[in-house]
Amino acid sequence: MNRMRTILLWSLCFLVIAAGAAFAAEKGGVLRVAVIDEPPTLDQHVVTSDLTTMIAQHIFEGLYTFDSKYSPVPLLVKSEEMKDDGKTAVLTLREGVKFHNGKELDAEDVLASMERWGKFGARGPVLFSNLEKVEATGKYEVTLTFKAPFAPWKNLLAFMNGGPVIYPKDVASGAEKTPITPEQYIGTGPYKFAERNPGRYIKLVRNEEYTARTEAADGYAGKREALFDEIRFIPVPDVGTRVNGVKAGDYDYAEQILGDLFDSLKEDPSVVTTVNQGANQGMMFFNSREGVLKVNSKLRQALQAAVNMEPVLQSAIGPAELWKASGSFMPESTLWYSKAGLDRFSANNPELAKKLAKEAGYNGEKITLMASTSYKFHYDSTLVIVKQLQAAGFNIDHQIYDWATLISKRGDPAQWDIFFTHHGFVPDPILYTFMSESYPGWWITETKRALAAEFAGTLDAAKRKAVWDKIQALVYEEVPVMKTGDHFTYDIYSPKVQGLSASSLIWPKFWGVSFGK
Amino acid sequence: MFSYIARRIGSMIPSLLLASIIVFSFIHLIPGDPAQIMLGDQATPEQVQGLREAMGLDRPLYVQYGRWLSGVVRGDFGTSIFFHQPVLHVILDRAETSVLIAVFSMMLIVLVGVPIGILSAVRYNSRLDQLFSGLSMFFASVPTFWLGLNLMLLFSVMLRWLPTSGFPSILESGEWSNLRYLVLPCITLAAPNSALIIRLTRSSMLDVAKADYVKTARAKGLSEGAVNIRHIFRNSLISVVSALGFTFVALMAGTVVTETVFSLPGIGRLVVESVLRRDYPTIQGIILIIAFLYMVINLLVDLSFALLDPRIRYS
């Protein structure tokens, strides 16, 4: 009996030591991530740069986040209570959450951050124009009072990109229009900002005091565990160098690799490919304020009818696994997926285009189409589109600029008729730029306004979806914007990196990721 | 001589002022707004306007220029819009990489280009000359990004001898072993420039070799080696030194392709990225410093002529 007890005891000791050794091996190391550029700032309130979001999400956290199905779930919030038929939301914060400066998060920090985001943030005004007030109604309680029931509020709070992350009160209340400085990069996230060395790297280190949620990790939600000692985001602008760097062991992860290399890298045992789930969408915005396309839906429909998106996507993106000629603005994986108006998408019917153009009174007037060479797929897409439009009899003036020039010119409605850009994945259609009346293109019609108001004020999910169907159908009828399709970027990483999968979220995240055993 | 140097230095001031006015005007004439670029595609017009005001970009151009110039006179080149750091700090940080690349590449260019150029000229039309001519033609015409990526593939991916990219600062870390990061970029830069120096040295020497004083030297019975080195090579050096001087400045300022391929934090990449970001203070600061560097190198090259050719006198 004693012998048995001794064996059991030794076995237990062995298991404990082995488990400890395994954990120790998993934790540690420096993850080197090769990114395409440097972000202008990590101030998540004011910029919508994907690169900023990718890095900043490790440092800053918001009240809500998204799970793997892109449903908003609590992050810094513990619970919520809706009152007054959806006009009041009482949010209770988690207690004991510490900022990187050691201070405990409370409602005053949330209030100051929300107010700054509402005033100067990129997406803040979308929520704040529907809010009557935000108040700190307790040490750990924040109350949002809406002017009328506003359905997308939780999605807006959960969307990290240009979203309402929480800074300490003394940072948020002192910050205005200009981005906060690196000394003020203080969040509650699993990694802390350590250093920015321009041209070389942005360094994050593990937050040893991190208070993680206890639910299982799911998308951006649940338990966040910082396993690396340090993460370095290194700007490597050349795609060939990013690929060679991962192969040579100089980088562990590299983002945004060329479509042309996809097939060979997929077969290469020295790297793992991961396709981004959050599709980008090529979009052509039509000028509703001035020019030949103003208030001329029929001419816009004619342009839409002339185009076949498959060769456009094939030429601009490459392998079929990286694009989808889909006209639905929201992807199939979401509840928002809609077929409304899709019979007009990628019609590939030059004869119909000519007929519609004639009915619209088009007499060969010049149509200026602006695109940028700064994004290769913008330029490549428009090369094919312009050929197709010209073949259907349109007089297209294809103007090519760098991105900075294009976004400057598009602000002046006298200078263009169509411009090409792209839109990233958004969890709520209200965040599409064409839904905004101030975004270049300036789509403002009575029907759109009425539907947009109905969409924002409908709380029932099924009813909201029905309204969205109507809006998508209206987009295909009034054509404020023409979607070219979905395309998926892909990244590569070293096989030694564990915890990542064959597909990544919108912005790859590195908590819960390690170098394995 | 000293009055000549003083005059040349004095003439730099109006030249730099003119350069700064031209750069300032041109960069502001190009469409594009740093506030919009920083905030991103989805920023509201109000948000962009707010940041423009906060950065002082809504002020008249002459006010912006005046403020910048008065800062420069006091040694303050302003603050980078993109990096939120003093421009001088950003430039000096990048200068470490650029200076080291330029110095080591120049050493390679001189050590490879000049001796092979001499050998080609001395062995004019031999098989060796034809071989060097062929090789120099190849390296002069091959694109640097192609050469760089292939060197990276061979020495970094396949052999794993050298790192693919990046350059950790030696000044910060004190690690001289970091120089290994510069081996491939320096070879990439030196290859086409060495080829040009080979061809220039060769053709200059062949030109000088036809001169009467060379024939006289040979007639006096001087050895072939002495004729080649003392009479032909020394007199052909003026054009070679002149080319080397401007190659050095070009290496400091314009190695953008190589810096991009090897992801080096150098001046060339900073210029291009700053233009794309419309980071006005950084662009102005770099251009002013590069213009100054050009003038200094030009002066040094001119002064070296007097050392090489005693007939040249500056007064």
Side-chain angles (χ1 to χ4, degrees), chain A residues 160-450:
Chain A
M160 179 74 187
N161 180 256
V165 294
I166 308 303
Y167 300 139
K169 184 188 174 187
D170 58 342
V171 171
S173 57
E176 292 196 345
K177 302 160 192 167
T178 47
I180 58 170
T181 56
E183 301 77 50
Q184 296 172 310
Y185 293 162
I186 300 164
T188 56
Y191 284 93
K192 297 193 283 188
F193 173 80
E195 184 190 357
R196 178 174 188 177
N197 192 331
R200 290 195 169 93
Y201 55 80
I202 287 175
K203 183 165 94 177
L204 312 186
V205 294
R206 184 170 46 230
N207 172 16
E208 303 286 1
E209 308 296 318
Y210 183 64
T211 39
R213 293 192 72 92
T214 49
E215 302 94 330
D218 177 25
Y220 296 109
K223 188 180 180 186
R224 295 179 169 187
E225 199 176 6
L227 295 169
F228 295 113
D229 294 336
E230 189 181 313
I231 306 176
R232 284 185 186 223
F233 294 92
I234 304 160
V236 185
D238 187 84
V239 65
T241 312
R242 292 202 294 280
V243 172
N244 284 337
V246 175
K247 285 185 176 182
D250 290 337
Y251 308 120
D252 306 302
Y253 190 100
E255 66 157 356
Q256 299 201 28
I257 310 301
L258 273 183
D260 299 347
L261 301 173
F262 184 68
D263 289 331
S264 63
L265 288 172
K266 216 171 48 174
E267 304 300 324
D268 190 332
S270 66
V271 297
V272 183
T273 55
T274 174
V275 178
N276 196 307
Q277 292 172 351
N280 281 316
Q281 310 180 347
M283 280 194 185
M284 293 166 72
F285 278 82
F286 291 65
N287 188 342
S288 296
R289 194 171 274 180
E290 277 187 39
V292 66
L293 297 177
K294 181 190 170 189
V295 204
N296 195 340
S297 296
K298 193 145 263 186
L299 183 55
R300 293 163 178 227
Q301 287 169 9
L303 290 158
Q304 189 170 244
V307 181
N308 177 7
M309 294 306 182
E310 288 205 3
V312 173
L313 292 160
Q314 203 164 29
S315 150
I317 312 297
E321 288 155 283
L322 298 180
W323 55 266
K324 192 172 181 188
S326 165
S328 171
F329 283 90
M330 296 299 282
E332 241 173 310
S333 57
T334 66
L335 65 93
W336 301 105
Y337 178 75
S338 173
K339 290 183 176 173
L342 292 194
D343 51 327
R344 284 184 159 134
F345 173 75
S346 189
N348 189 23
N349 193 339
E351 292 313 310
L352 175 65
K354 284 175 189 168
K355 181 175 164 281
L356 288 168
K358 198 175 171 188
E359 286 170 17
Y362 180 67
N363 290 313
E365 293 92 338
K366 188 173 77 177
I367 297 173
T368 304
L369 191 159
M370 299 195 302
S372 166
T373 43
S374 302
Y375 295 96
K376 190 174 175 294
F377 76 89
H378 287 197
Y379 176 66
D380 290 348
S381 299
T382 53
L383 277 182
V384 183
I385 289 169
V386 166
K387 285 281 173 211
Q388 292 179 348
L389 293 176
Q390 285 170 339
F394 294 101
N395 176 12
I396 305 293
D397 178 15
H398 193 197
Q399 296 187 1
I400 307 299
Y401 302 104
D402 74 316
W403 184 241
T405 304
L406 188 144
I407 55 175
S408 168
K409 278 184 170 282
R410 73 175 192 190
D412 178 3
Q415 299 210 36
W416 60 278
D417 296 301
I418 306 171
F419 78 87
F420 193 99
T421 184
H422 71 275
H423 206 295
F425 173 83
V426 285
D428 192 305
I430 202 158
L431 288 166
Y432 272 113
T433 44
F434 58 79
M435 294 298 286
S436 159
E437 294 188 356
S438 64
Y439 190 81
W442 306 284
W443 182 37
I444 309 165
T445 62
E446 287 311 311
T447 325
K448 182 234 178 159
R449 269 198 179 151

Side-chain angles (χ1 to χ4, degrees), chain A residues 37-41 45-49 120-123 125 161 177-179 195-201 234-238 240-241 244-245 247-251 374 402-405 407-410 421-424 431 433 438-439, chain B residues 30-33 36-47 50-51 53-55 82-85 90 93-94 96-97 149 152-153 156-157 160 162-169 172 260-265 269 273 275-278:
Chain A
D37 198 359
E38 289 180 81
T41 170
H45 282 182
V46 299
V47 298
T48 53
S49 147
F120 303 117
R123 302 187 196 275
N161 180 256
K177 302 160 192 167
T178 47
E195 184 190 357
R196 178 174 188 177
N197 192 331
R200 290 195 169 93
Y201 55 80
I234 304 160
V236 185
D238 187 84
T241 312
N244 284 337
K247 285 185 176 182
D250 290 337
Y251 308 120
S374 302
D402 74 316
W403 184 241
T405 304
I407 55 175
S408 168
K409 278 184 170 282
R410 73 175 192 190
T421 184
H422 71 275
H423 206 295
L431 288 166
T433 44
S438 64
Y439 190 81
Chain B
I30 304 171
D33 184 348
Q36 175 83 66
I37 297 161
M38 174 178 289
L39 295 173
D41 182 41
Q42 300 185 26
T44 62
E46 296 76 27
Q47 203 193 354
L51 187 56
E53 285 166 15
M55 293 194 295
F82 189 83
F83 294 113
H84 321 289
Q85 290 184 359
V90 173
D93 185 50
R94 300 294 182 104
E96 180 194 358
T97 313
L149 283 172
M152 193 189 292
L153 207 60
S156 305
V157 178
R160 300 222 170 188
L162 294 163
T164 51
S165 48
F167 175 60
S169 169
E172 273 181 29
T260 304
V261 167
F262 291 102
S263 195
L264 297 170
R269 222 175 102 199
E273 288 171 351
V275 169
L276 291 175
R277 293 164 182 156
R278 306 292 191 268

Side-chain angles (χ1 to χ4, degrees), chain A residues 66-137:
Chain A
F66 290 110
D67 64 15
S68 56
K69 292 186 178 65
Y70 294 104
S71 297
V73 290
L75 182 58
L76 291 174
V77 157
K78 185 167 74 182
S79 61
E80 76 197 33
E81 190 187 350
M82 294 305 290
K83 293 178 178 172
D84 305 334
D85 295 329
K87 278 182 72 179
T88 305
V90 181
L91 314 180
T92 306
L93 304 173
R94 285 163 60 208
E95 293 179 29
V97 174
K98 294 268 181 68
F99 281 108
H100 298 153
N101 60 2
K103 182 195 166 297
E104 191 195 1
L105 170 119
D106 63 28
E108 292 295 331
D109 303 309
V110 176
L111 185 65
S113 299
M114 292 276 289
E115 280 175 348
R116 194 253 178 164
W117 176 70
K119 209 167 174 185
F120 303 117
R123 302 187 196 275
V126 181
L127 179 69
F128 270 71
S129 59
N130 290 280
L131 267 176
E132 197 172 285
K133 58 183 173 182
V134 189
E135 295 166 291
T137 44

